[in-house]
Amino acid sequence: MLYYLFEFLEQKYQFPGAGLYQFLSFRAAVAMMVSLSFSLAFGQKIINYLIKFQIGESIRKLGLIGEKEKNGTPTMGGLIIIFSTIIPVVLFAKLENIYILLLLFTAIWMGVIGGIDDYIKIFEKNKRGLKGKFKIIGQIILGLIVGSTLYFHPEITVRQKIKIPENIVAGSQNPFAPEEKAFVTNIPLIKNNAFNYSDLITWYDNSLIDYTWIIFIPIVIFIVTAVSNGANLTDGLDGLAAGSSSIIVFVLGIFAWVSGNFIFADYLNIIYIPHVGEITVFISSFLGALIGFLWFNTFPAAVFMGDTGSLTIGALISVIALIVRKELLIPLLCGIFFIETLSVIIQVLYFKYSKRNYGVGKRVFLMAPIHHHYQIKGFNESKIVTRFWIVGILLAILAIVTLKIR
């Protein structure tokens, strides 16, 4: 909204300083400051509201150290993240941008689903919350909408690098082809790293290219569902999910910046995505909201994000990764989510396998997700979280390095 106001003031009255709002870097920086300030200023008020209406976490008895102290801690703190993200975006982003609209829809949609889940847990005293099948259905619907938008919307295009003859002086020719509706993504560590989803179906018959959506949309649904649930599983210790997500979102901000910048995309030899730079405003706001929430969520947590926050965070991360064509980097960049999810899958599968074959269910980990395994081994909660953050930072650096190493 303010973007359009200052655009009008600049064009109509040459208002001093109004031109700053035309710069993406300025709007992204201001969005982050406003987001962080809002979460810090109003976070405690939201927490007080949650306390007033007795919106507290009912901790399952797992025999873990410190679980009694956590019982009754305000939950649904994900509202802090959602409000702190959306408000600066509405103020400073170009709201006609399809990527911004898609991310706003994702935040609201998953926030509602997570909110319903938390509501059932708190007010209906059902610790299981919303039935798993309904959460999955909600994630599938989101993936279907995101996948269909990315596939069919005419404004979602790319410009791929073209090979310029050696006798042409560098910089004298546009290194990118015209905008096209191509379903391509970047493959890490591979030279000329564009992979076309159409190849998954046209190997059989080139005439099937118009049916690429049959492959593409289910892949999007899987990614959105997997990352959203991965973030949800990670949210088990104070500051773990919020801190890990902050690291991931920061890297995605770098990817969005370079993918939407003509010069950087050329230098790094990656796909140039027109209009995608605008989501840097959203990502900056999202990052500020996560850091602001972390102020209240670090050990000992004054508030939990609940499924309102964790499902929304995971969904937003997955959609941003899809938008900037870095979804193949998710297992590396979101390595913490991946490890947490994998630990649960291994635990469940091995337990069922051993019970079927030996009559007694056995476990690989003392408890899953894996952060609880280290809790039972006697590690301090803060130490576990900090070390997971360190691993997350290392994975983030590796993800950034893939931009150049091929």
Side-chain angles (χ1 to χ4, degrees):
M1 294 170 61
L2 289 180
Y3 170 81
Y4 301 104
L5 173 62
F6 282 100
E7 183 182 44
F8 170 77
L9 292 175
E10 166 72 12
Q11 295 176 354
K12 189 75 174 178
Y13 303 106
Q14 287 78 50
F15 191 82
L20 279 173
Y21 281 83
Q22 302 301 312
F23 293 96
L24 179 61
S25 55
F26 176 78
R27 288 186 289 119
V30 173
M32 183 174 181
M33 288 189 292
V34 171
S35 176
L36 181 56
S37 299
F38 181 89
S39 58
L40 291 175
F42 292 95
Q44 189 59 56
K45 293 183 179 180
I46 294 174
I47 293 170
N48 293 339
Y49 178 89
L50 296 173
I51 294 171
K52 179 181 178 181
F53 288 91
Q54 298 181 340
I55 304 176
E57 185 75 34
S58 180
I59 304 295
R60 288 187 300 163
K61 294 180 180 179
L62 301 173
L64 298 171
I65 298 173
E67 67 180 18
K68 289 183 180 179
E69 289 78 3
K70 295 177 184 290
N71 200 49
T73 301
T75 188
M76 291 187 75
L79 292 172
I80 298 172
I81 299 172
I82 294 171
F83 289 144
S84 300
T85 299
I86 290 177
I87 291 172
V89 171
V90 171
L91 289 175
F92 302 112
K94 296 179 181 178
L95 298 180
E96 76 274 13
N97 184 287
I98 183 59
Y99 297 119
I100 294 292
L101 293 174
L102 197 57
L103 289 169
L104 286 173
F105 174 79
T106 299
I108 295 169
W109 178 265
M110 287 310 300
V112 169
I113 291 175
I116 293 171
D117 184 51
D118 288 331
Y119 179 88
I120 293 172
K121 289 178 182 176
I122 296 161
F123 294 103
E124 297 189 6
K125 307 302 180 183
N126 185 344
K127 293 182 180 180
R128 293 184 177 274
L130 185 65
K131 288 184 178 180
K133 64 180 180 181
F134 292 120
K135 282 196 276 190
I136 294 295
I137 289 172
Q139 291 164 335
I140 289 173
I141 292 173
L142 175 62
L144 182 63
I145 293 171
V146 171
S148 299
T149 303
L150 292 176
Y151 188 91
F152 293 109
H153 199 282
E155 293 180 18
I156 295 179
T157 58
V158 298
R159 297 180 66 179
Q160 299 186 67
K161 289 273 305 255
I162 57 177
K163 188 173 182 180
I164 300 175
E166 295 181 0
N167 60 339
I168 301 295
V169 178
S172 63
Q173 183 172 327
N174 190 328
F176 291 97
E179 290 187 33
E180 59 177 335
K181 193 70 183 172
F183 311 103
V184 293
T185 190
N186 287 295
I187 305 177
L189 304 176
I190 304 295
K191 195 172 183 179
N192 301 319
N193 63 342
F195 168 74
N196 198 321
Y197 283 102
S198 299
D199 294 341
L200 296 174
I201 196 170
T202 54
W203 64 270
Y204 179 74
D205 188 344
N206 283 330
S207 64
L208 295 174
I209 191 169
D210 292 335
Y211 299 94
T212 302
W213 62 270
I214 295 175
I215 299 291
F216 180 74
I217 294 177
I219 291 174
V220 171
I221 291 172
F222 172 77
I223 291 171
V224 170
T225 303
V227 180
S228 183
N229 286 320
N232 187 235
L233 289 171
T234 304
D235 183 33
L237 299 178
D238 296 350
L240 179 56
S244 300
S245 299
S246 298
I247 297 165
I248 295 167
V249 170
F250 174 77
V251 177
L252 287 173
I254 294 174
F255 289 157
W257 180 268
V258 298
S259 296
N261 185 288
F262 197 96
I263 297 172
F264 287 134
D266 178 27
Y267 173 70
L268 295 169
N269 193 30
I270 59 175
I271 300 166
Y272 170 55
I273 310 172
H275 319 298
V276 84
E278 190 64 25
I279 71 168
T280 308
V281 177
F282 187 99
I283 293 172
S284 297
S285 182
F286 188 24
L287 180 59
L290 286 168
I291 295 172
F293 176 77
L294 199 56
W295 179 273
F296 304 103
N297 186 235
T298 48
F299 181 84
V303 65
F304 298 144
M305 67 172 66
D307 283 13
T308 306
S310 60
L311 291 175
T312 304
I313 288 171
L316 283 172
I317 286 173
S318 64
V319 174
I320 293 170
L322 285 160
I323 287 173
V324 298
R325 316 287 171 130
K326 294 293 185 294
E327 63 269 28
L328 297 183
L329 268 178
I330 286 177
L332 176 64
L333 178 58
C334 302
I336 297 299
F337 296 172
F338 182 70
I339 292 167
E340 296 275 21
T341 304
L342 195 61
S343 69
V344 173
I345 293 172
I346 291 171
Q347 187 87 321
V348 171
L349 291 179
Y350 185 71
F351 185 87
K352 290 182 177 180
Y353 169 80
S354 58
K355 189 172 184 178
R356 184 175 64 250
N357 289 274
Y358 306 110
V360 179
K362 299 180 180 179
R363 294 175 172 82
V364 176
F365 306 103
L366 297 176
M367 186 179 289
I370 197 169
H371 56 257
H372 288 321
H373 169 82
Y374 291 110
Q375 266 191 297
I376 293 177
K377 290 191 74 173
F379 286 84
N380 179 272
E381 182 171 342
S382 295
K383 180 171 284 189
I384 297 170
V385 171
T386 303
R387 288 181 174 177
F388 271 57
W389 288 352
I390 292 170
V391 172
I393 292 170
L394 291 174
L395 294 174
I397 293 170
L398 289 175
I400 294 172
V401 167
T402 61
L403 282 173
K404 196 59 183 171
I405 296 181
R406 301 196 186 99

